[in-house]
Amino acid sequence: MNNFKPKTLFLGKNLIYLPSCHSTNDIAHEIIQNKQGFDGTIVITDNQTAGRGQRGNSWEAQPNQNITFSVILKPNFLIPTQQFQLNMAVSLAVKEFLSVYLPSEKFSNQLKIKWPNDLYFGNKKIGGILIENSISASSINNSIIGIGLNINQLGFNDNKATSIRAILNSNEISLQKMIEELCEFLEKYYLQLKNGGQILQKKMYLENLFWINETHQFTAFGEDFSGTIKGINEVGMLEIEVNNTIRTFGFKEVSFLITN
Ligand code: BTN
């Protein structure tokens, strides 16, 4: 990482590289507390030993195989109810980055964003995002964007996961160049959002959404049901049509029943 040079204005210019750490999101929290968390600072490790995922889950990544990193942003142009806009910008950036390696023409559009911010290839998870915001009454002060992407890892405890290398059946891919590219896509979408791109980004997010307008099985509040994702509301809750009625779900309220 000593020659790390993303072609960006600010994102990734301040790099904190740790050969090993428990969680890059936790390190980013500490950096903010120590007042060293400049806008666009990134924290990268080769070996994350206690990675955290959504819903209190852990995030497993074999050492030196995958991208595990966090970005500190200061999106104070967003008010607290607009948090999902940042989620969409980041999800689109990661999706476009992965498309460089898994182009939609070659892979028949199998790369999708699973609501709210998982990256899926077919029915398998290839990456996840954990965004942790600190908010005041009027804005988002600090955002820690944790990104875990499966790049070179070939074996997974969870058979619902895959990696770029497993899909391409290729040799090992160099991570440094990839992280530079990822910073460039993140900055592109972040600045587009800052410059008023939220309507366009919502449209793109919906176009790239896993299971959109398809009928599938879900589970919520102890009940399995069949429904069709129709969109998201203004705060990013998922809208599913069930028996001709739109039901709206918050993040921890609904799960997708994915079969392989
Ligand atoms: C998910 O559950 O899908 C989100 C996974 C997020 C994992 C990344 S890896 C880098 C950063 N540090 C963490 O502890 N978690 C995130």
Side-chain angles (χ1 to χ4, degrees), residues 22-26 48 50-55 57-59 67-70 117-118 125 127-130 145-149:
H22 43 291
S23 155
T24 55
N25 267 36
D26 291 347
Q48 184 169 251
R52 293 190 290 110
Q54 296 159 9
R55 305 178 195 227
N57 291 327
S58 57
W59 181 259
I67 292 178
T68 45
F69 94 148
S70 301
N117 56 20
D118 289 336
K125 185 160 168 169
I129 300 168
L130 177 66
I145 317 273
I147 300 178
L149 298 176

Side-chain angles (χ1 to χ4, degrees), residues 125-244:
K125 185 160 168 169
I126 189 164
I129 300 168
L130 177 66
I131 302 183
E132 298 179 300
N133 293 324
S134 63
I135 52 180
S136 66
S138 57
S139 67
I140 304 179
N141 297 333
N142 286 295
S143 184
I144 297 171
I145 317 273
I147 300 178
L149 298 176
N150 301 332
I151 309 295
N152 287 311
Q153 187 168 331
L154 291 178
F156 294 90
N157 292 336
D158 177 0
N159 70 352
K160 296 194 182 90
T162 190
S163 68
I164 294 191
R165 187 173 170 203
I167 296 163
L168 295 178
N169 199 9
S170 66
N171 292 331
E172 212 168 289
I173 308 163
S174 152
L175 295 180
Q176 172 159 333
K177 181 172 151 273
M178 288 188 122
I179 297 166
E180 287 172 351
E181 288 168 352
L182 182 54
C183 286
E184 290 156 18
F185 284 116
L186 285 168
E187 184 175 276
K188 170 181 152 184
Y189 280 91
Y190 182 70
L191 292 180
Q192 185 183 54
L193 173 63
K194 192 172 181 178
N195 292 323
Q198 68 275 13
I199 293 174
L200 173 68
Q201 291 191 351
K202 181 173 177 186
K203 180 172 172 283
M204 289 167 70
Y205 178 84
L206 293 177
E207 282 167 2
N208 283 288
L209 203 58
F210 183 76
W211 282 6
I212 185 100
N213 293 322
E214 295 172 17
T215 302
H216 290 279
Q217 290 294 113
F218 299 85
T219 185
F221 308 112
E223 171 214 1
D224 293 357
F225 61 92
S226 174
T228 311
I229 296 178
K230 288 294 173 185
I232 52 167
N233 72 7
E234 62 289 345
V235 290
M237 293 168 81
L238 189 65
E239 296 176 332
I240 306 180
E241 188 178 278
V242 186
N243 299 329
N244 299 317

